Amino acid sequence: MSSISSEKEGSRVSAALRPILQNPELVAKLFSAGSAACFAEAVTLPMDCAKIKLQVEGGTLLSTVRTIAATDGTKGFFRGLVPGLHRQLGFCTIRLGLYDSTKEFYKENLGLDDGLPLRFAAGISTAVAAVCCAQPTEVVKIRMQAAKAGTVRYSGTLSAYYKIAVTEGGRGLWSGLGPNIVRLSICNIGEVVTYDTVKTSILARGWMEDAFPLHFVGAVCAGFVTTTLTSPVDVVKTRYVNSAPRQFRGPLHCAAFLAKEGGFTNFYKGCVPSFFRITGWNLLMFMTYEQVRKVVSKKLTSS
């Protein structure tokens, strides 16, 4: 009986995946989004580690970098690399890889024109789906990066998943789900929607060709908009996810505490490394994504 049920389950999965596998362009976008995001994550992770330390412990960017280097050495700048790669595979594969398909779905079924409302709807929808699927990777990444200098909170990535699941259950693995849905929705508008809007607008006016210079301009615009929009939410999310159990009643309580503690500027702690990290990440990710997508799509359609 178990083998029969396993075969039925396998046939259901195959049936669900068949439309995706039969669409070479979609497969190319999903693969390119995940791989490009992992490459960008690995290169820019040191700035992300510095940003999170600033948000949790305060100080200046220079003092934070010195503290990390003095206490943990080079490996301190790459804390959370493995869950960071897990996170990008889960998040970016969905929020970028499915973005165009979601736009087409809404255009056909809701009658939306190819404008900002359609792009906002697609960006928010794919962001929500990504967070709901991959939030545990975000929790593990933040906790590993935010560990006190010179301490080891978890022995490894799998140990972190296991320890959080055992001690805090699903609530711990999906802690910060609400603020991260808000944050990634805003982030997707800042990154993917901005990049899409800038790119299509420039192409429509004939100012540039669909090549590296255009991808560079789009990525820089996306980095600036994203940093401006997401810094306050990012600070609240980081403090809330990394807080002791029941320290805050919820994200709004955490935000109120931060406002009382340090005022408006508290919500932009780490915004300088965040800008360089987000802009650098967008440059690497979008430029890699565009090239890999073209190569993979060509290979799949010719085979």
Side-chain angles (χ1 to χ4, degrees):
M1 290 293 290
S2 61
S3 61
I4 295 175
S5 62
S6 297
E7 289 176 7
K8 288 183 178 178
E9 189 65 30
S11 64
R12 288 196 200 100
V13 174
S14 299
L17 290 176
R18 196 173 295 122
I20 297 176
L21 297 176
Q22 289 176 346
N23 187 337
E25 186 63 27
L26 178 57
V27 172
K29 287 176 180 177
L30 292 171
F31 175 81
S32 303
S35 56
C38 285
F39 172 67
E41 181 76 11
V43 174
T44 61
L45 190 64
M47 290 304 294
D48 196 40
C49 288
K51 178 203 72 174
I52 288 179
K53 284 285 188 183
L54 271 172
Q55 291 174 347
V56 174
E57 299 178 7
T60 65
L61 174 59
L62 186 58
S63 67
T64 300
V65 170
R66 284 176 176 171
T67 300
I68 295 173
T71 55
D72 294 323
T74 304
K75 68 179 182 180
F77 292 100
F78 290 92
R79 270 187 173 178
L81 175 61
V82 175
L85 298 180
H86 291 174
R87 174 183 180 273
Q88 293 303 341
L89 280 174
F91 279 22
C92 212
T93 300
I94 295 172
R95 72 184 181 94
L96 174 59
L98 292 178
Y99 172 75
D100 287 330
S101 298
T102 305
K103 269 204 317 181
E104 290 302 316
F105 176 83
Y106 285 154
K107 188 185 293 186
E108 293 174 5
N109 292 277
L110 299 181
L112 292 174
D113 295 327
D114 191 11
L116 283 179
L118 174 64
R119 291 170 183 159
F120 273 51
I124 292 171
S125 297
T126 54
V128 172
V131 176
C132 290
C133 292
Q135 179 64 9
T137 62
E138 175 85 353
V139 173
V140 170
K141 174 177 176 283
I142 288 176
R143 292 194 184 185
M144 291 184 74
Q145 287 179 328
K148 295 292 184 181
T151 64
V152 179
R153 194 170 184 177
Y154 306 105
S155 60
T157 305
L158 294 180
S159 168
Y161 286 119
Y162 177 77
K163 189 173 180 180
I164 295 170
V166 169
T167 58
E168 302 176 44
R171 184 174 181 176
L173 286 172
W174 270 268
S175 64
L177 182 68
N180 205 28
I181 284 176
V182 175
R183 191 254 180 193
L184 198 67
S185 296
I186 296 171
C187 183
N188 226 28
I189 290 171
E191 288 182 347
V192 179
V193 173
T194 298
Y195 181 83
D196 182 26
T197 303
V198 170
K199 180 183 172 182
T200 53
S201 298
I202 291 176
L203 285 174
R205 288 165 174 77
W207 292 345
M208 302 174 79
E209 296 181 352
D210 189 1
F212 269 115
L214 174 58
H215 305 157
F216 181 91
V217 171
V220 172
C221 291
F224 175 77
V225 173
T226 304
T227 305
T228 304
L229 293 177
T230 62
S231 281
V233 182
D234 200 27
V235 170
V236 173
K237 180 204 69 175
T238 300
R239 286 290 291 270
Y240 185 68
V241 169
N242 199 55
S243 63
R246 294 182 173 80
Q247 180 179 350
F248 300 114
R249 293 190 298 274
L252 292 179
H253 180 217
C254 181
F257 174 83
L258 289 171
K260 186 177 180 180
E261 180 186 57
F264 177 77
T265 57
N266 223 14
F267 293 101
Y268 281 89
K269 271 186 176 179
C271 66
V272 175
S274 183
F275 169 75
F276 285 112
R277 194 259 175 182
I278 289 174
T279 303
W281 190 92
N282 275 279
L283 283 168
L284 290 168
M285 195 278 292
F286 279 117
M287 295 175 82
T288 303
Y289 167 76
E290 295 281 10
Q291 301 308 309
V292 173
R293 181 181 59 80
K294 289 177 183 177
V295 172
V296 174
S297 181
K298 186 177 181 180
K299 289 284 186 182
L300 291 174
T301 51
S302 63
S303 61

